Amino acid sequence: MATLYLVSTPIGNLEDLSPRAADVLRSVSRILAEDTRRSRILADRVGSEAALVSVHEHNERARATRIVSWLDQGENLALVTDAGTPLVSDPGARVVDAVVAAGHVVTPIPGPSAPLAALVASGLPAERFTFLGFPARKGRARQADLTRIARSAETTVLFESPQRLVRLLEDLESACGAERRICVAREVTKVHEEFVRGSVAEALGHYREHAPRGEVTVVVGPSDAARDAEASVAHARALAADRLRAGARPSAVAREVAERHGLARNLAYRIVHDLQDSATDE
């Protein structure tokens, strides 16, 4: 059965292309590329003679049918983006959806990813995170993004253009507070790679003085208040589970949980009822 390979490509340093990715690019009959000019450089580097076909946000829907027909004819194909992992803030989702619906194999070839590279080098918690791509530029959608980041108990990863970075940092300072921990990762894996770590206020001061250039990924640390609230609920659940197993009445358990952990009574009751429902399901 024919296969569509989702091939991760370097985000800067061409040496980051994996041997497996290079083998795939040499083996397929066509490479589906966001920008065929940029992908031609990579194809030539690995010695691929595959035909390059443009697949971008403006033609993806129309291309999907043709791509499925090529797979129907037994051709193996590779989908790449300009840099990094396909579909992550890049085209390809419609193609993959159509290929899966047609019953063909979709195989990821893991590799470089700007969000993950920035996250792990940020110095911020990486065990749980949210990736939001490019934030909305204005209006209610932008305010919703900022509010979500401000209230998040998880680290948040964003893309932003260098021209809009200072404005984003200003908005984050207003929404999250000047002391919220942040890392701005710029030109990751490239010659001028830079990580600016510290508070939002410190990053804002730096980039007001030094105009950013190149690819930018912003990593925002979690809200301490949100993390504390999440931890309090987790402890409350553990206490409630112990008391229920010991045979205590649910109403008494809810009161104790609310008093000991400073939770609203309705939340304490919801925790107890959820635990009872889980025990019933099991």
Side-chain angles (χ1 to χ4, degrees):
M1 183 174 291
T3 299
L4 172 67
Y5 295 97
L6 308 179
V7 181
S8 296
T9 58
I11 58 177
N13 191 324
L14 293 179
E15 295 299 325
D16 290 337
L17 185 73
S18 73
R20 185 184 178 204
D23 287 343
V24 167
L25 294 179
R26 284 190 290 264
S27 69
V28 296
S29 60
R30 302 175 200 268
I31 298 173
L32 314 174
E34 184 179 7
D35 184 333
T36 57
R37 294 166 300 179
R38 293 186 62 172
S39 296
R40 181 78 268 167
I41 296 171
L42 187 63
D44 289 345
R45 179 182 175 85
V46 301
S48 172
E49 297 181 357
L52 271 84
V53 179
S54 66
V55 177
H56 48 71
E57 61 179 330
H58 302 297
N59 72 356
E60 182 181 356
R61 189 184 299 277
R63 284 277 195 242
T65 302
R66 187 67 183 275
I67 289 166
V68 169
S69 72
W70 285 328
L71 291 164
D72 288 340
Q73 294 166 24
E75 294 188 30
N76 291 327
L77 310 174
L79 175 67
V80 301
T81 186
D82 286 350
T85 300
L87 281 71
V88 180
S89 279
D90 280 312
R94 291 189 182 94
V95 168
V96 172
D97 183 52
V99 170
V100 170
H104 292 291
V105 177
V106 175
T107 298
I109 309 298
S113 167
L116 292 180
L119 174 66
V120 298
S122 69
L124 296 169
E127 65 274 9
R128 296 172 61 190
F129 70 95
T130 300
F131 175 65
L132 296 184
F134 285 92
R137 294 193 189 185
K138 59 184 179 181
R140 292 182 180 179
R142 185 173 182 84
Q143 189 56 51
D145 283 344
L146 293 168
T147 299
R148 180 175 181 177
I149 296 166
R151 296 177 179 175
S152 178
E154 304 170 353
T155 296
T156 305
V157 184
L158 306 162
F159 286 154
E160 189 53 287
S161 75
Q163 294 80 15
R164 295 192 296 271
L165 177 60
V166 168
R167 181 193 166 212
L168 174 62
L169 294 174
E170 290 172 343
D171 287 348
L172 288 173
E173 185 177 47
S174 297
C176 304
E179 297 306 312
R180 188 73 160 264
R181 293 177 65 201
I182 196 170
C183 173
V184 179
R186 190 178 64 82
E187 293 290 85
V188 176
T189 78
K190 299 178 183 178
V191 173
H192 299 293
E193 179 179 85
E194 174 185 71
F195 295 94
V196 173
R197 305 176 181 91
S199 68
V200 173
E202 289 168 337
L204 179 56
H206 175 82
Y207 286 110
R208 278 175 172 164
E209 293 290 327
H210 306 89
R213 296 181 179 180
E215 303 292 331
V216 174
T217 305
V218 179
V219 186
V220 185
S223 161
D224 289 338
R227 294 194 96 190
D228 290 345
E230 193 175 74
S232 180
V233 170
H235 292 314
R237 286 181 61 85
L239 173 62
D242 286 342
R243 294 291 187 268
L244 290 171
R245 281 195 295 268
R249 289 183 296 110
S251 59
V253 172
R255 285 195 298 272
E256 181 180 358
V257 165
E259 291 169 3
R260 288 189 57 175
H261 290 281
L263 301 180
R265 188 65 63 87
N266 62 344
L267 175 57
Y269 274 99
R270 188 161 66 247
I271 289 170
V272 171
H273 286 308
D274 287 347
L275 288 168
Q276 288 181 297
D277 289 343
S278 297
T280 300
D281 291 341
E282 291 174 0

